[in-house]
Amino acid sequence: MRRVKRALPLVAAVLALGVPLSGCGNESGARGGDVSAGASSGVGSGRQEEQGQEKGKGRDQEMDMQEAAERADAMLDAVLKGIDPDVRWAHGPTTTRACGVTRRRAVMTVVSPERRQTFLDRAETFWRKNDYRIKAVNKDDKFPAVYAVTRSGFGVSVSFRGKGQAFLEADTPCVKESKVAAPASEPNGPAYEGVYPLPRPDVRSDFWSGEGEGE
């Protein structure tokens, strides 16, 4: 009986020590779990927010198709002004899709094969200076092209196609549906209204139609 009485205080002491230690271990583990879950949850929330922002960029709820088309027109006007010497151009067809618009311009100035890369370089230089991101460059000898995109999701390109004619296109991001009017910009040559396909380039330029490579 004496041995039992002696053992009981010892067991009680061990249990008394063990319970707080076990509790600290659980508390530490729980806190570690909470921090990890909290960090994970925080990161997840941040990613979801970023994804939501990206989705918001993809579809501009404040801009409708007409407003987006006008911005695309301004982008094409700007890059054409940035190409020096200037070239003759005409409007190409406008096409609409479910929630976006594509505006087009056709260059009516003859650009010789020797000058095509220079033409693209000047468009690319203009875009880089104005914070466009160059998305792709096609160095094909016959049909070279350069593609860029803005931070707001507009895509723009210059490409050479059949008979060496240069074309410019601007694609809007997904925006609110609306009616789209014809471009308001006045071409610097014949308008060719109702004419499709447009004629091949027929305007000669001392620089762009020349044979020598020049910068």
Side-chain angles (χ1 to χ4, degrees):
M1 291 299 293
R2 290 180 180 178
R3 290 180 181 178
V4 173
K5 287 181 179 180
R6 289 178 181 177
L8 286 175
L10 179 61
V11 170
V14 170
L15 290 175
L17 290 173
V19 169
L21 289 174
S22 176
C24 289
N26 288 338
E27 185 178 359
S28 171
R31 284 181 182 175
D34 288 344
V35 170
S36 177
S40 176
S41 175
V43 170
S45 299
R47 286 176 181 171
Q48 289 174 0
E49 184 177 352
E50 288 175 4
Q51 289 172 357
Q53 291 174 351
E54 289 299 323
K55 288 180 180 179
K57 289 180 182 178
R59 188 182 183 94
D60 192 331
Q61 297 293 341
E62 300 302 321
M63 184 184 298
D64 63 26
M65 292 169 73
Q66 176 59 38
E67 293 168 328
E70 290 171 1
R71 186 175 295 186
D73 290 333
M75 290 168 56
L76 294 177
D77 287 339
V79 69
L80 282 166
K81 289 178 181 177
I83 295 174
D84 183 54
D86 61 352
V87 293
R88 188 77 59 86
W89 62 268
H91 287 293
T94 294
T95 55
T96 59
R97 47 193 192 279
C99 57
V101 184
T102 299
R103 292 291 212 199
R104 297 177 175 85
R105 307 278 175 93
V107 174
M108 307 309 295
T109 299
V110 176
V111 181
S112 67
E114 294 82 3
R115 298 286 200 230
R116 289 173 193 167
Q117 190 57 54
T118 301
F119 189 92
L120 294 175
D121 288 345
R122 293 191 180 177
E124 181 177 345
T125 297
F126 172 82
W127 288 329
R128 288 187 184 278
K129 286 181 178 178
N130 288 277
D131 294 328
Y132 289 64
R133 179 171 64 85
I134 303 304
K135 195 173 182 180
V137 176
N138 182 353
K139 294 285 189 179
D140 186 84
D141 291 337
K142 290 185 177 180
F143 305 116
V146 60
Y147 304 87
V149 64
T150 70
R151 292 182 179 180
S152 55
F154 284 76
V156 65
S157 66
V158 178
S159 60
F160 283 89
R161 302 179 192 169
K163 303 297 183 182
Q165 187 167 18
F167 292 89
L168 294 89
E169 292 187 5
D171 296 309
T172 74
C174 194
V175 293
K176 291 190 296 185
E177 186 177 0
S178 71
K179 293 182 178 179
V180 179
S185 304
E186 292 290 338
N188 59 358
Y192 300 110
E193 292 183 11
V195 177
Y196 187 79
L198 293 172
R200 295 299 187 185
D202 57 0
V203 178
R204 303 291 302 181
S205 162
D206 291 341
F207 181 80
W208 293 116
S209 308
E211 295 181 356
E213 295 185 4
E215 295 297 332

